[in-house]
């Protein structure tokens, strides 16, 4: 599935949950029988995947936050990786 | 120490209304060793200590965990700690009200077993009429918005139903189906000649899995737990001994894997006597096979040892009689012939498989008395 375009809304699948792992000093995405370790950018992206923002809006918000440009590719790749595990879904 | 556990399997009780002949519980589950169940407070302490050690994933299992009347309270505590909590249940007599209460307490994920793709076979293998309850509970979990895993243990008597099992999970809208080929521990080892599939059965089922995976894509995750007897190399059991995983039994013993209690040459500690962190770090059971210094040849000089950790210690003990031996399923093991002989026996007896012993308290006591 293509994730580009202003109308694509990525959502964190309800089975997945963000959790701070204080013992290892990192954030993780927990889901049935597994987990993915996240860096700060990953957490920032997922916190914006609340089902109200399009991919384009998420990218724009992050670019403002980090005062940079050209993030679309990285954000899309990150989300595609999670989508392949069924942890992110795309909708209108 | 830099190794920290990620997973805790809490076996809350060994009581179970079902009698699956492949059950991984100890053969002597009805005996004195497992009788005195931990209290609510003791379990909550275990969860707190586990979280402080680094555990993030908690499985509530058994036996049948819903038989614990304090399950909601245990889930609430685990959830409050931030543990991702899965309920692993047969769903026997599980009501929608109970599931709703567990949801409200913070349960994250439900895994419900099924013993066959239809009522007739499922109930026959379970030894208890339970298929109807399971189907009802599958629907409740969906209605309540739980992620759902359908779990089916595969063996000679139900491998022909793999397609039916996948279709069942699909029709329920499950996230995952776990097709777990029987691992031969506990009751499954006792019933090995009756449960072990033929090579032809396994090959046919695997073709179905490949086809269905291609058809379903990410809609349904199909997990296929390898039948290790039929492989060339062992599974990386538990991701390595004492590396990521711990099991606490109903009476509080702490094991590096849920089958480890059978290893009579290890000393197991109990959460009643010691903090979980001490047990993880210092107990004989956890330290004996941690790392690779204990490894004999052929593992010691094998390039695969960082990948499979020499295989399963429980299988080495149960089949080769030495928990410190190379996993006998490994084609390089000097004991591999024991596995090949077991497979050959099953292939030869293709027409008339052996009888099953169902997992039940009287059978458990009778087996324990025999020694
Ligand atoms: S495998 Fe079957 S008998 Fe064993 S605990 Fe699970 S449901 Fe009960
Ligand atoms: S010899 Fe040992 S390390 Fe090598 S593949 Fe076999 S079990 Fe694994």
């Amino acid at each position: 599935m293509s994730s580009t375009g202003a109308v694509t809304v990525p959502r964190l699948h309800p089975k997945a949950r963000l959790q701070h792992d204080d013992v290892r000093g990192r954030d993780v995405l927990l889901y049935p029988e597994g987990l993915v370790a996240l860096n700060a950018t990953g957490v920032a992206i997922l916190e914006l995947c609340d089902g109200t923002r399009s991919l384009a809006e998420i990218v724009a918000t992050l670019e403002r936050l980090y005062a940079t440009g050209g993030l679309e590719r990285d954000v899309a790749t990150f989300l595609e990786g999670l989508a392949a595990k069924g942890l992110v879904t795309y909708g209108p | 120490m830099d190794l920290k556990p990620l997973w805790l399997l809490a076996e809350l009780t060994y009581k179970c209304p079902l009698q699956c002949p492949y059950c991984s519980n100890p053969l002597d589950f009805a005996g004195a060793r497992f009788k005195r169940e931990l209290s609510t407070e003791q379990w909550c302490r275990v969860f707190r200590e586990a979280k402080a050690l680094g555990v993030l994933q908690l499985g509530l299992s058994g036996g049948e965990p819903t038989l614990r009347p304090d399950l909601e309270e245990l889930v609430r505590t685990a959830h409050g700690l931030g543990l991702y909590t899965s309920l692993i249940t047969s769903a026997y007599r599980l009501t929608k009200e109970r599931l709703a209460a567990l949801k409200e307490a913070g349960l994250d994920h439900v895994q419900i077993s099924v013993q066959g793709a239809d009522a007739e076979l499922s109930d026959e293998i379970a030894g208890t009429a339970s298929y109807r309850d399971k189907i009802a509970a599958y629907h409740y979990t969906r209605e309540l918005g739980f992620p759902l895993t359908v779990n089916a243990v595969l063996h000679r008597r139900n491998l022909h139903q793999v397609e039916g099992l996948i279709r069942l999970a699909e029709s329920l809208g499950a996230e995952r189906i776990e097709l777990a080929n029987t691992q031969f521990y506990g009751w499954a080892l006792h019933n090995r000649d009756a449960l072990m599939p033929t090579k032809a059965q396994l090959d046919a089922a695997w073709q179905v899995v490949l086809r269905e995976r291609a058809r379903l894509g990410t809609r349904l995750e199909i997990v296929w737990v390898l039948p290790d007897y039929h492989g060339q190399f062992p599974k990386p059991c538990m991701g390595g001994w004492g590396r990521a995983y711990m099991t606490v039994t109903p009476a509080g013993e702490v094991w590096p894997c849920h089958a480890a209690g059978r290893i009579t040459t290890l000393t197991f500690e109990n959460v009643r006597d010691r903090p979980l962190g001490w047990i993880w770090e210092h107990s004989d059971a956890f330290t004996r096979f941690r790392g690779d210094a204990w490894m004999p040849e052929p593992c010691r000089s094998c390039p695969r040892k960082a990948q499979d950790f020499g295989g399963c210690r429980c299988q080495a003990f149960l089949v080769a009689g030495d928990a410190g031996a190379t996993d006998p399923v490994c084609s390089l093991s000097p004991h591999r012939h024991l596995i090949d002989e077991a497979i050959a026996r099953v292939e030869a007896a293709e027409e008339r498989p052996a009888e099953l012993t169902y997992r039940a308290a009287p059978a458990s006591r009778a087996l324990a008395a025999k020694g």
Side-chain angles (χ1 to χ4, degrees):
Chain A
M1 173 176 299
S2 163
S3 61
T4 48
V7 290
T8 309
V9 177
R11 281 182 189 79
L12 192 55
H13 193 284
K15 71 182 171 188
R17 205 181 78 205
L18 278 168
Q19 173 73 38
H20 186 65
D21 175 2
D22 21 286
V23 171
R24 298 171 189 82
R26 60 175 186 179
D27 290 289
V28 290
L29 191 60
L30 298 172
Y31 55 92
E33 311 295 330
L35 64 106
V36 185
L38 300 169
N39 58 22
T41 329
V43 176
I45 298 172
L46 289 179
E47 280 174 345
L48 293 171
C49 291
D50 59 0
T52 69
R53 295 174 174 85
S54 69
L55 179 65
E57 284 164 344
I58 292 170
V59 170
T61 308
L62 289 166
E63 287 176 348
R64 258 197 320 278
L65 189 70
Y66 292 104
T68 181
L71 288 183
E72 161 137 26
R73 183 78 173 275
D74 289 350
V75 174
T77 310
F78 172 77
L79 291 175
E80 290 291 345
L82 294 179
K85 290 179 189 287
L87 300 174
V88 163
T89 56
Y90 299 107
Chain B
M1 188 184 55
D2 48 349
L3 285 176
K4 300 179 196 312
L6 266 176
W7 308 82
L8 174 67
L9 184 70
E11 296 186 327
L12 299 180
T13 178
Y14 281 151
K15 296 193 193 89
C16 186
L18 271 58
Q19 309 168 57
C20 310
Y22 54 72
C23 185
S24 64
N25 287 167
L27 283 173
D28 58 342
F29 75 87
R33 184 177 178 187
F34 305 109
K35 263 252 131 64
R36 203 156 64 96
E37 290 186 2
L38 296 180
S39 67
T40 312
E41 295 71 42
Q42 284 167 325
W43 274 118
C44 291
R45 197 196 84 213
V46 168
F47 296 167
R48 277 194 300 276
E49 292 182 353
K51 180 70 201 320
L53 271 178
V55 167
L56 295 170
Q57 290 272 3
L58 172 66
L60 299 172
S61 175
E64 177 46 57
T66 59
L67 290 178
R68 288 278 305 213
D70 57 353
L71 186 61
E72 288 82 342
E73 199 176 335
L74 297 178
V75 167
R76 187 163 292 119
T77 300
H79 180 73
L81 290 163
L83 297 168
Y84 193 96
T85 306
S86 298
L87 176 68
I88 301 160
T89 177
S90 72
Y92 185 73
R93 304 230 163 120
L94 184 54
T95 62
K96 188 167 181 186
E97 291 67 37
R98 188 92 196 270
L99 275 167
L102 291 166
K103 176 94 189 167
E104 191 267 323
L107 184 67
D108 289 295
H109 163 226
V110 178
Q111 171 175 319
I112 300 177
S113 64
V114 67
Q115 281 67 14
D118 54 48
E120 194 187 345
L121 186 61
S122 187
D123 289 347
E124 185 193 320
I125 299 296
T128 303
S130 49
Y131 186 80
R132 263 206 7 220
D133 287 4
K134 290 169 186 291
I135 298 297
Y138 284 132
H139 289 292
Y140 301 150
T141 59
R142 301 313 297 162
E143 288 158 27
L144 291 163
F146 280 114
L148 169 65
T149 296
V150 173
N151 168 278
V153 173
L154 301 178
H155 45 78
R156 187 188 187 98
R157 307 217 180 177
N158 67 2
L159 262 163
H160 63 286
Q161 289 196 336
V162 159
E163 178 164 351
L165 289 162
I166 294 171
R167 298 284 162 129
L168 174 67
E170 180 190 6
S171 72
L172 295 163
E175 263 77 29
R176 307 168 71 233
I177 179 167
E178 227 175 65
L179 298 170
N181 281 287
T182 302
Q183 310 286 311
F184 295 107
Y185 308 103
W187 292 79
L189 181 63
H190 184 73
N191 283 309
R192 190 173 64 179
D193 284 358
L195 292 173
M196 204 195 313
T198 63
K199 179 84 171 48
Q201 276 187 300
L202 283 169
D203 291 344
W206 175 236
Q207 289 310 315
V208 173
V209 169
L210 289 178
R211 202 180 63 222
E212 292 289 278
R213 271 187 185 159
R215 184 176 69 81
L216 289 157
T218 54
R219 257 195 301 147
L220 174 68
E221 184 190 353
I222 305 176
V223 181
W224 170 259
V225 178
L226 286 171
D228 63 350
Y229 271 46
H230 291 81
Q232 203 186 346
F233 296 115
K235 55 184 178 291
C237 197
M238 298 295 126
W241 188 269
R243 286 177 66 89
Y245 186 93
M246 54 203 326
T247 294
V248 177
T249 70
E253 277 184 43
V254 191
W255 298 350
C257 112
H258 60 273
R262 275 288 285 285
I263 303 179
T264 53
T265 48
L266 288 176
T267 310
F268 299 100
E269 303 290 339
N270 195 299
V271 294
R272 292 179 207 266
D273 312 319
R274 301 260 194 195
L276 200 62
W278 187 94
I279 297 174
W280 171 259
E281 206 163 324
H282 301 295
S283 70
D284 173 49
F286 278 84
T287 53
R288 185 92 66 94
F289 302 118
R290 193 176 263 152
D292 59 12
W294 59 271
M295 283 184 188
E297 292 296 351
C299 295
R300 181 175 286 272
S301 47
C302 177
R304 288 183 59 94
K305 70 179 175 188
Q307 238 168 292
D308 67 25
F309 312 100
C312 171
R313 299 304 89 228
C314 306
Q315 195 141 264
F317 178 80
L318 292 169
V319 176
D322 173 6
T326 294
D327 187 333
V329 308
C330 180
S331 52
L332 304 170
S333 157
H335 298 103
R336 172 70 210 192
H337 66 96
L338 296 170
I339 300 290
D340 289 331
E341 283 156 23
I343 293 176
R345 253 199 325 277
V346 165
E347 297 284 341
E350 195 167 345
E351 295 308 314
R352 256 176 16 92
E355 286 292 305
L356 291 172
T357 306
Y358 283 85
R359 171 223 196 261
S364 170
R365 283 189 281 268
L367 286 166
K370 269 202 329 209

